[in-house]
Amino acid sequence: EEGAPGRRGERERSEEGPVERGPGAAFHMFVLMEDLLDKLKLLSYEEEALRRHNMRPLSRHYFALPTNPGEQFFMFCTLAAWLISKAGHPFEQPQECDDPNAVISNVLSELRSF
């Protein structure tokens, strides 16, 4: 039958959209990371967020490649706290020893209040 599920060459669909992706899908995360870095630079993240915490600037692919999950999580939390504060909502900077679930819960709670 025409259009029968599972036929070769057809895309299967789920609620989120197509399951199959093109050959460039593997590099999409790198493009997103470069866009994120450009936006952070426009907000002067190096001067305002990183220098305050004595951290190194992000590489072009920092969050695209899983290198050190603990460090990457802390950097994410630092940037999230800085962005929330920059948006006018006071937000306490998380510490490395804080419970990750509590930190994410606090970030999400604050974002929901927007």
Side-chain angles (χ1 to χ4, degrees), residues 11-109:
R11 291 185 177 196
E12 294 181 28
R13 293 190 176 267
S14 66
E15 291 179 15
E16 292 84 35
V19 173
E20 294 181 19
R21 298 181 180 180
F27 300 100
H28 184 66
M29 188 57 61
F30 295 96
V31 173
L32 289 176
M33 181 60 210
E34 288 184 20
D35 288 345
L36 171 67
L37 191 57
D38 288 342
K39 291 173 183 176
L40 287 171
K41 285 181 180 180
L42 287 172
L43 292 171
S44 303
Y45 89 105
E46 292 168 323
E47 294 80 22
E48 294 183 23
L50 298 184
R51 286 198 183 140
R52 180 183 308 159
H53 302 288
N54 198 25
M55 300 172 106
R56 296 183 320 227
L58 301 177
S59 69
R60 292 182 318 139
H61 307 297
Y62 185 78
F63 290 116
L65 299 171
T67 54
N68 183 342
E71 177 187 303
Q72 288 172 312
F73 178 76
F74 182 66
M75 177 63 80
F76 168 78
C77 293
T78 299
L79 291 173
W82 173 71
L83 287 168
I84 290 169
S85 296
K86 191 154 182 81
H89 291 241
F91 192 83
E92 187 176 326
Q93 170 64 39
Q95 303 299 313
E96 281 189 89
C97 59
D98 289 348
D99 175 34
N101 292 321
V103 172
I104 289 299
S105 178
N106 291 341
V107 167
L108 291 174
S109 175

